[in-house]
Amino acid sequence: MSSLPTPDAEYNSLQQTAYQLVSCTEQLFEQIKQQQALTSIIDRIRSSLDLETILNVTATEIRQLLNADRVGVFRFYPNSGWNEGEFVAENVAQEYPSAMAAKVYDHCFGSQFAAYYTQGRVQAVADIHNAGLSDCHIQILEQFQVRANLIVPVLKGEELWGLLCIHQCSHPRRWQLPEIEFVRKIAVYFAVALQQAEQLEQIKSQATLVAQVKAQEKALARQKALVKITNRIRQSLDFEQICQTATEEVRQLLQADRVTIYRFNPDWSGDFLFESVTQGWKPLVGVSPTIEDTHLMETQGGRYALNETFAIPDIYKAGHTDCHVALLEEFQARAYAIAPIFEEDHLWGLLSAFQNSSSRQWQEDEMELLAQIGEQLGIALKQAREQERAINRQKALVKITNRIRQSLDFEQICQTATKEVRQLLQADRVTIYRFNPDWSGDFLFESVAQGWKPLVGVSPTIEDTHLMETQGGRYALNETFAIPDIYTAGHTDCHVALLEEFQARAYAIAPIFEEDHLWGLFTAFQNSNSRQWKEDEVELLAQIGEQLGIALKQAEFVEQIQTQSLELKQTLDELQQSQIQLVQTEKMVSLGQMVAGIAHEINNPVNFIHGNLSYVDEYVTDVLSLIRFYQQFDHPSEQDLQAFQEKLQEADIDFIQEDLPKTLASMKVGTNRIREIVLSLRNFSRLDESEFKAVNIYEGINSTLLILSHRLKACGDRQAIKIVKDYQDIPPVECFPAQLNQVFMNFLANAIDALEEAINAEKFSLKNPLNHQVPTIWISTKRYDQYHIEIRIRDNGMGIDEKNQSRIFDFFFTTKPVGKGTGLGLAISHQIVVKKHQGKLSLNSTPNQGVEFIIQLPMKLKH
């Protein structure tokens, strides 16, 4: 049987229920508050496109809601491996330091924890000292005075972007599950904001890129137009064509209704000279009368004379006078932009763009384009004018120069010069004035316009005291001089009076030099009025004056040439004789080498024979003495035979019998050697044979080697020169044998000289164990083709520098030291091979490796 509860028990139960109800109510209100905060943050995220604002608002509202000491948004540095980063947003209580300026580096976060946070891990630490954290982790947290923290990952897609950090600094704190879930939800929506911000950034970047591309396209189009007009200016001298191109290009580029080029007249009225206009608008060029803009006429170009541009977006709102608006309405203009066109320092005209259909706000770059095109048109103007003047000057200069070249008549040249220059300069008078020895002078030639008195043959000798005292003054220093008005030039009264006698009001003068001596003056006079002489006009006078100096010298040369013609002929004869003597000298040098070689080669066997003659004489004397002694006896007795026997022993007849045949045999060898040398000399010189015949080339080469053999032998410490022959079977060659032998002598002697130079330079030194070379000359022959043979002579000497190879066959050129060569041997050899034998002669050479001469000869000469 159950018992009823007591009143106290019921009260306690009701009280407990009430407490539970209050607790639930508080939790409910807390959840509502969190939900409201979450909704507020989400609304902020959705309504804002500024990532920085979203970050700061999120940090502020979370800290206020959770009553934390610090809420920060931490972002990892890209490509840091999640080990480095910084706080990019923060809301912190006043008593704690900001973490915004700190750079955080945790060397173990990326490897140990990044993967877990990427999977959505949340870290809630109630007290960092009781959570089992590593020492380095605690040090990082203590840096920011953190005692408890709640860390929620912020993901951008599947990538860990950063961390949402809630710090409790004042005391430990146990984080509640609703708080953790609240922050997690914030992080989720925060990730959405990141994606949204990234997309916005991409959109902005694309928009910026599009704007940049459009701006670049526009700038490129302007640049192309400017380049096109500039190129046309450079390529064309036709100013009209340039202007038509400019107006058309600018109108299309600016999408204007009309672009014009307007020229000022001397009174600052003006005319439209060129235009490009869209259909539907009336033309202005050739239709509109001369424009009389009173403001421009009174101010002589107004602001444009100061090189300013000007743009009006709407003529009805610009404050123009009624008459100015009426003038613009005649042009059908509603808006306009104008840039000046200067010809050097003078305002020549205007480049104008008109918008007729509506008002228009002109852009700065559009005005800049007009200014640049206006500047280029000014350059074109200057170029066209200069080119026209230059062409006319050049024509006159060429005409006078040609006359000087074609004529030897100085008077005719001077008449042409004065006439051409006066017409070109449109001057009243052009004269040629000659100084006398005392520096007075006379007018010799002139071209004068009708109505002015002549000076040539009428005026007395001019005694200009200044020129006489200074012996030509500034003109002796080759200076030109131009005066626009004699009355404003500061001349002395007597000088002005002298010029008035010439009827001159303005003048320009250039000197005429005969070599270094001031001969006279070339002068242009303007008599009718003053004149501002242009630089190119004075330059023309100087150029013509220079040509007249050349003509003077040419006339003098003609006289000298006529006088010296006989002397030149005599000199030529002497030179030819000298050349013959030089060639003969070279032949004598070769002959001297040959004689020296022959003398050296004959000397050995002759000395040997001469040395043995005394022994032979002694032997013969002894034998003849024995014969005479024996002939004393008709019937020799035994005693006589005994005496004869003693005489034989005294004469050493046994030795004579043994040595005399040997000595005679050796002398026979010597005589044979002499005979061979004489035969080689005969073969080399071919003195007893016809000048032209078919011969065996080898005989000439071998004879030359025999003659030079004394230079091939070792001498003292000098090594012997080795000869390597590679003779192929070739038929007899039709040639001039003696001359061809001289070629072999020159090449072989040069090869020996080169090897001796290399030996002296220790190229073949035996002291160098790595040097296995010996001084060598290679001689090879072969049939080059069906009609030619080839002879190669090569040495391994010092070679010839590449810069000298092209001159090696020139007369008087030699690479040998002074006194060692005449520079004729190879030149004569070249003439013998190429001209005499219709062959070819070339060389191959590498410095420090030797030289190879290649001779190609036809086997039969063409007669």
Side-chain angles (χ1 to χ4, degrees):
M1 179 176 176
S2 63
S3 60
L4 296 172
T6 64
D8 289 338
E10 291 180 356
Y11 175 77
N12 290 335
S13 176
L14 288 172
Q15 188 178 31
Q16 184 177 3
T17 301
Y19 284 145
Q20 291 176 350
L21 183 59
V22 170
S23 176
C24 290
T25 302
E26 288 177 353
Q27 291 179 2
L28 182 60
F29 276 114
E30 187 67 25
Q31 291 177 358
I32 292 172
K33 187 177 180 182
Q34 290 180 357
Q35 188 62 38
Q36 288 176 341
L38 181 61
T39 302
S40 174
I41 293 172
I42 293 171
D43 288 342
R44 289 288 183 90
I45 291 173
R46 290 175 176 173
S47 60
S48 176
L49 297 177
D50 185 6
L51 181 61
E52 184 178 358
T53 301
I54 294 172
L55 295 176
N56 290 321
V57 169
T58 302
T60 300
E61 295 207 6
I62 291 176
R63 192 178 79 81
Q64 291 176 354
L65 181 64
L66 299 183
N67 195 23
D69 293 326
R70 181 189 294 110
V71 174
V73 180
F74 181 85
R75 180 178 182 180
F76 291 106
Y77 292 146
N79 302 320
S80 69
W82 295 287
N83 290 328
E84 293 183 78
E86 64 181 351
F87 286 94
V88 295
E90 176 190 56
N91 188 268
V92 62
Q94 292 182 353
E95 60 269 27
Y96 297 106
S98 173
M100 288 292 290
K103 302 292 187 291
V104 179
Y105 175 73
D106 187 345
H107 66 277
C108 58
F109 185 89
S111 59
Q112 297 181 13
F113 306 110
Y116 296 110
Y117 281 103
T118 302
Q119 296 171 2
R121 171 186 174 179
V122 174
Q123 183 188 50
V125 176
D127 190 334
I128 64 172
H129 300 298
N130 299 323
L133 301 178
S134 63
D135 292 339
C136 61
H137 195 173
I138 292 174
Q139 288 177 359
I140 293 173
L141 294 173
E142 285 179 342
Q143 177 183 350
F144 305 116
Q145 299 182 346
V146 177
R147 185 66 183 274
N149 68 343
L150 174 62
I151 306 297
V152 178
V154 178
L155 302 175
K156 188 173 73 172
E158 297 180 356
E159 177 188 0
L160 179 61
W161 179 88
L163 303 172
L164 189 56
C165 305
I166 296 88
H167 294 164
Q168 197 68 36
C169 301
S170 55
H171 52 75
R173 174 173 179 172
R174 184 170 299 281
W175 304 97
Q176 302 300 316
L177 185 60
E179 294 174 333
I180 296 173
E181 188 61 28
F182 169 70
V183 176
R184 189 198 297 273
K185 290 180 180 178
I186 294 296
V188 172
Y189 283 102
F190 189 67
V192 174
L194 283 176
Q195 294 282 2
Q196 179 178 295
E198 182 179 10
Q199 292 173 358
L200 177 62
E201 189 66 27
Q202 291 176 352
I203 293 172
K204 287 182 178 179
S205 298
Q206 291 175 355
T208 302
L209 183 61
V210 170
Q212 290 176 347
V213 169
K214 289 183 178 179
Q216 289 175 353
E217 289 178 349
K218 192 174 181 182
L220 182 61
R222 292 197 306 272
Q223 192 63 30
K224 285 182 177 179
L226 184 61
V227 169
K228 185 173 183 179
I229 295 170
T230 303
N231 289 339
R232 182 62 60 86
I233 290 172
R234 291 175 179 173
Q235 297 168 2
S236 174
L237 299 176
D238 187 347
F239 184 67
E240 180 177 352
Q241 184 181 19
I242 292 170
C243 291
Q244 292 291 9
T245 300
T247 54
E248 182 67 22
E249 292 288 335
V250 173
R251 187 185 65 78
Q252 292 182 1
L253 185 62
L254 298 184
Q255 294 295 299
D257 293 324
R258 189 195 313 270
V259 171
T260 66
I261 292 176
Y262 174 91
R263 183 190 62 190
F264 286 109
N265 297 321
D267 63 353
W268 294 96
S269 62
D271 296 280
F272 290 105
L273 296 189
F274 306 98
E275 72 177 335
S276 174
V277 60
T278 57
Q279 291 184 351
W281 303 102
K282 68 179 183 180
L284 300 180
V285 175
V287 177
S288 295
T290 296
I291 311 302
E292 296 183 350
D293 186 314
T294 55
H295 172 71
L296 293 179
M297 295 176 71
E298 291 170 359
T299 60
Q300 297 186 347
R303 58 168 52 88
Y304 308 115
L306 302 176
N307 201 16
E308 296 179 7
T309 56
F310 190 56
I312 290 297
D314 193 326
I315 64 173
Y316 301 115
K317 298 178 182 179
H320 289 330
T321 60
D322 292 341
C323 61
H324 196 176
V325 171
L327 178 63
L328 292 167
E329 285 178 338
E330 290 183 16
F331 306 154
Q332 300 175 298
R334 179 70 182 272
Y336 63 88
I338 301 176
I341 301 171
F342 278 83
E343 183 182 11
E344 295 184 340
D345 296 331
H346 171 68
L347 178 62
W348 178 87
L350 304 173
L351 175 65
S352 305
F354 294 98
Q355 199 68 31
N356 300 341
S357 55
S358 61
S359 60
R360 174 170 179 167
Q361 195 67 40
W362 302 96
Q363 302 300 315
E364 183 178 352
D365 58 345
E366 295 173 334
M367 297 302 299
E368 179 65 23
L369 175 66
L370 282 177
Q372 290 175 331
I373 301 299
E375 184 177 343
Q376 292 299 319
L377 290 172
I379 294 172
L381 265 172
K382 180 181 178 182
Q383 178 178 291
R385 296 285 173 84
E386 288 180 349
Q387 192 68 26
E388 182 181 0
R389 290 197 295 266
I391 289 173
N392 290 335
R393 291 198 309 271
Q394 193 64 29
K395 285 180 179 178
L397 186 61
V398 168
K399 187 173 183 179
I400 295 169
T401 303
N402 288 338
R403 182 61 58 88
I404 291 172
R405 290 175 178 173
Q406 296 167 5
S407 174
L408 300 177
D409 185 347
F410 183 67
E411 180 176 351
Q412 184 183 19
I413 292 170
C414 291
Q415 294 291 9
T416 301
T418 54
K419 180 180 178 181
E420 292 289 336
V421 173
R422 188 183 70 80
Q423 292 178 353
L424 181 63
L425 297 184
Q426 293 295 298
D428 293 324
R429 189 195 311 270
V430 172
T431 67
I432 293 176
Y433 174 91
R434 183 189 63 189
F435 286 110
N436 297 320
D438 63 351
W439 295 96
S440 62
D442 295 281
F443 290 105
L444 296 190
F445 306 97
E446 73 177 336
S447 173
V448 60
Q450 289 185 353
W452 304 102
K453 69 179 183 180
L455 299 179
V456 175
V458 177
S459 296
T461 296
I462 311 301
E463 295 183 350
D464 187 314
T465 55
H466 172 71
L467 293 179
M468 294 176 71
E469 291 172 359
T470 60
Q471 295 186 350
R474 58 168 51 89
Y475 309 115
L477 302 176
N478 201 17
E479 295 180 9
T480 56
F481 191 54
I483 291 297
D485 194 325
I486 64 173
Y487 300 116
T488 59
H491 289 330
T492 61
D493 293 341
C494 60
H495 196 177
V496 171
L498 178 63
L499 292 168
E500 285 177 339
E501 290 182 16
F502 306 153
Q503 302 175 297
R505 179 72 182 273
Y507 63 88
I509 302 177
I512 302 172
F513 277 84
E514 184 180 11
E515 291 189 334
D516 297 331
H517 171 68
L518 178 62
W519 179 88
L521 303 174
F522 189 52
T523 308
F525 293 101
Q526 198 70 30
N527 301 341
S528 55
N529 56 350
S530 61
R531 175 170 179 167
Q532 195 67 41
W533 301 95
K534 291 184 170 29
E535 183 179 352
D536 58 342
E537 295 172 335
V538 179
E539 177 65 23
L540 175 65
L541 286 176
Q543 290 175 330
I544 301 299
E546 186 176 339
Q547 292 298 319
L548 290 172
I550 294 172
L552 271 170
K553 190 63 181 175
Q554 179 176 287
E556 182 182 348
F557 281 157
V558 170
E559 183 178 353
Q560 290 177 354
I561 289 170
Q562 291 173 347
T563 303
Q564 295 173 355
S565 59
L566 292 176
E567 296 178 5
L568 289 174
K569 186 177 184 305
Q570 183 179 354
T571 302
L572 181 60
D573 293 339
E574 291 175 355
L575 286 173
Q576 290 175 344
Q577 188 64 31
S578 298
Q579 185 178 17
I580 293 172
Q581 291 176 356
L582 286 171
V583 172
Q584 187 64 32
T585 299
E586 178 61 22
K587 290 182 178 180
M588 293 302 295
V589 169
S590 299
L591 181 60
Q593 290 181 344
M594 181 181 68
V595 170
I598 294 169
H600 188 278
E601 288 299 314
I602 291 179
N603 189 54
N604 287 335
V606 167
N607 286 340
F608 180 77
I609 294 171
H610 179 74
N612 282 303
L613 282 176
S614 61
Y615 297 108
V616 172
D617 179 64
E618 182 181 346
Y619 296 156
V620 171
T621 299
D622 290 342
V623 171
L624 291 176
S625 176
L626 287 172
I627 293 172
R628 285 195 298 270
F629 181 79
Y630 186 77
Q631 287 176 344
Q632 294 176 6
F633 308 106
D634 292 332
H635 301 286
S637 64
E638 184 176 345
Q639 186 178 359
D640 293 334
L641 292 174
Q642 182 65 33
F644 182 72
Q645 188 66 33
E646 290 175 359
K647 198 72 172 178
L648 288 176
Q649 290 178 356
E650 182 182 342
D652 198 2
I653 194 65
D654 293 336
F655 176 77
I656 293 174
Q657 286 177 330
E658 179 182 355
D659 191 55
L660 182 57
K662 293 180 180 179
T663 302
L664 291 174
S666 298
M667 293 175 69
K668 183 178 180 181
V669 171
T671 57
N672 286 335
R673 178 64 174 165
I674 294 172
R675 184 171 178 274
E676 289 176 0
I677 293 171
V678 172
L679 288 174
S680 295
L681 179 59
R682 177 183 175 185
N683 178 65
F684 180 84
S685 62
R686 305 280 182 174
L687 293 177
D688 59 344
E689 300 176 4
S690 62
E691 184 180 2
F692 176 77
K693 63 180 296 186
V695 298
N696 186 339
I697 290 295
Y698 304 133
E699 292 180 357
I701 298 174
N702 293 333
S703 297
T704 306
L705 286 172
L706 181 59
I707 292 170
L708 294 172
S709 60
H710 68 287
R711 297 189 62 191
L712 302 174
K713 297 175 182 178
C715 180
D717 295 335
R718 202 207 78 172
Q719 297 169 265
I721 297 175
K722 182 180 179 182
I723 301 294
V724 178
K725 299 178 182 178
D726 180 15
Y727 294 165
Q728 295 185 12
D729 186 20
I730 58 175
V733 177
E734 288 185 354
C735 63
F736 297 90
Q739 295 185 22
L740 207 55
N741 288 342
Q742 185 181 359
V743 172
F744 298 148
M745 173 68 77
N746 286 331
F747 286 143
L748 289 170
N750 274 336
I752 294 171
D753 290 342
L755 291 172
E756 288 178 344
E757 179 186 356
I759 292 170
N760 292 333
E762 297 188 349
K763 178 178 179 180
F764 308 105
S765 176
L766 298 176
K767 298 177 182 179
N768 184 357
L770 300 178
N771 186 2
H772 302 296
Q773 288 189 348
V774 295
T776 307
I777 298 175
W778 289 267
I779 306 172
S780 64
T781 62
K782 67 175 184 178
R783 291 190 65 157
Y784 181 75
D785 56 28
Q786 185 177 357
Y787 304 104
H788 297 81
I789 66 164
E790 182 178 88
I791 305 166
R792 292 176 178 258
I793 300 174
R794 178 168 66 91
D795 65 73
N796 57 349
M798 303 303 292
I800 301 174
D801 289 340
E802 185 176 354
K803 63 180 181 181
N804 293 327
Q805 291 181 19
S806 62
R807 302 177 58 197
I808 202 68
F809 298 118
D810 292 349
F811 277 98
F812 307 111
F813 178 80
T814 179
T815 59
K816 297 178 182 178
V818 176
K820 294 290 185 178
T822 63
L824 292 173
L826 294 181
I828 292 172
S829 298
H830 187 271
Q831 285 192 333
I832 292 173
V833 172
V834 176
K835 294 184 177 179
K836 195 74 172 179
H837 287 84
Q838 305 163 15
K840 295 180 180 179
L841 181 58
S842 60
L843 67 88
N844 295 323
S845 180
T846 303
N848 207 36
Q849 293 186 19
V851 182
E852 180 179 47
F853 288 98
I854 305 166
I855 306 168
Q856 292 181 1
L857 296 171
M859 287 183 284
K860 289 187 178 182
L861 292 181
K862 297 178 181 179
H863 299 287

